[in-house]
Amino acid sequence: MTRTDSPSTPVAATHGAPTTPEAVRAVRDRITAGYYVPGARLTLRELATSTSHDPAALRPALDHLATTELVTGRWWVADPHPEHRTARARALLAGMIARGAWPADATLPALSVLVRLLLTESAHTAQALGELADEGVLDLVAKGPARVLPAPANAPARAPWPPGEKELMEALPNRARPGAAHDGYTLHLVRHTARKRWKGGVCLSPTAMAEQEGRQAETVHRLITRAFESTARRAPDLLPDVRSTAAQVMACHALPRTGPLYERLYRHATLATALAHLADALAAPVVRRVHVAAASAWPMHAPEEP
């Protein structure tokens, strides 16, 4: 149970230096609001910037919070429910399969690739694969990637393979921010920044997060539309990469934008990864060769004007 301090009584820190209740409260409020991914390490520099408290007051505040359930002794944000990491990876992977990212009998990417795609540690990703195997979704072998099984009889029907016009068009969000960059170069930069922020464990403010989500919604709209246009002729060599990657984008975009800030950051980072992969698939040489008009309207190094 988290200890609550009187607003007027100095708090004795672990190492004897007194700290103020205001500093303790400021750090506690940011943790409970979800600004930090569970397992992230708190730093005096970030806290001094985000709370406007002097590091001299923050150090004993962190030592004090280390005596509670919020922070561990070395200033890591406590993770009381590590199983949530497995559940998060399992839900996203199941969503990708349900939306047609991989058809029945297809093999999933290697574990190392899934770790980068799901932004989840190897152990939790492997456990998520095991849970899906127990549910009859995957077939696991001793060596090699997992194989997608046909949908169980008691499970909801999956999207067709490849995802058709209905599935793609229904996935389109409202065009919330015209002019959002959607070229490959920029999307790779966005992916790098989002993954770095997730790894660092510090979330954006709710206002900044909402703005980024609006930009992503517009980018999803543009790239999903292009994915449909680029494969409308059903060229066999275009369907697997473009349509399956579009299904991954659809699954990431469907993650809820509710809950703690770090859950929204996870959605933002995984969606940024999927969008960058879709940009790569759309920019493949065979796409440019077969669909010259679509490629010429999609610049690789500068955002398209609204």
Side-chain angles (χ1 to χ4, degrees):
M1 182 173 181
T2 302
R3 172 182 166 183
T4 303
D5 304 298
S6 170
S8 60
T9 305
V11 178
T14 304
H15 300 300
T19 186
T20 63
E22 290 78 11
V24 173
R25 188 182 305 110
V27 177
R28 180 191 294 124
D29 287 348
R30 283 184 62 80
I31 295 174
T32 56
Y35 275 91
Y36 303 108
V37 177
R41 192 175 193 280
L42 300 174
T43 65
L44 294 176
R45 175 181 296 182
E46 193 282 327
L47 286 171
T49 301
S50 60
T51 68
S52 300
H53 284 275
D54 190 273
L58 290 169
R59 183 182 295 275
L62 286 168
D63 287 339
H64 169 71
L65 288 174
T67 65
T68 72
E69 297 179 351
L70 291 180
V71 180
T72 65
R74 299 180 65 86
W75 301 353
W76 298 88
V77 178
D79 188 3
H81 300 289
E83 67 276 8
H84 289 178
R85 304 185 196 183
T86 299
R88 185 191 296 127
R90 181 213 160 279
L92 182 53
L93 190 56
M96 291 179 178
I97 295 173
R99 286 170 172 78
W102 300 285
D105 295 325
T107 56
L108 294 184
L111 179 63
S112 59
V113 176
L114 290 176
V115 165
R116 294 194 297 271
L117 186 65
L118 304 174
L119 295 182
T120 307
E121 299 90 337
S122 297
H124 293 285
T125 301
Q127 188 171 346
L129 291 172
E131 291 182 3
L132 289 175
D134 293 339
E135 296 170 13
V137 177
L138 298 177
D139 177 34
L140 296 183
V141 295
K143 294 183 179 180
R147 181 175 63 89
V148 179
L149 295 174
N154 59 345
R158 296 174 186 164
W161 170 257
E165 178 180 8
K166 178 178 182 293
E167 289 72 33
L168 292 175
M169 294 300 107
E170 287 182 350
L172 297 183
N174 293 326
R175 306 187 64 170
R177 182 176 290 275
H182 63 284
D183 61 281
Y185 177 77
T186 301
L187 290 179
H188 277 271
L189 291 180
V190 172
R191 177 183 65 177
H192 173 76
T193 302
R195 291 167 66 93
K196 183 177 180 181
R197 183 174 289 277
W198 173 255
K199 184 177 181 180
V202 182
C203 298
L204 297 165
S205 68
T207 301
M209 186 73 74
E211 182 176 350
Q212 291 295 324
E213 289 167 345
R215 291 181 181 275
Q216 278 192 325
E218 169 61 15
T219 304
V220 170
H221 194 292
R222 293 191 180 209
L223 291 192
I224 291 292
T225 301
R226 289 185 184 279
F228 173 70
E229 293 173 349
S230 296
T231 58
R233 300 178 186 178
R234 305 183 66 81
D237 53 354
L238 299 183
L239 287 174
D241 289 341
V242 174
R243 290 278 178 112
S244 64
T245 311
Q248 295 176 22
V249 170
M250 290 155 54
C252 293
H253 179 72
L255 292 175
R257 287 188 287 179
T258 57
L261 282 174
Y262 59 79
E263 293 292 354
R264 293 173 65 181
L265 179 61
Y266 178 76
R267 176 187 180 278
H268 174 75
T270 53
L271 181 53
T273 299
L275 286 170
H277 289 167
L278 181 54
D280 288 342
L282 285 168
V286 66
V287 176
R288 290 199 297 269
R289 184 169 62 251
V290 177
H291 302 284
V292 178
S296 63
W298 184 63
M300 283 300 296
H301 297 291
E304 180 179 283
E305 295 297 327

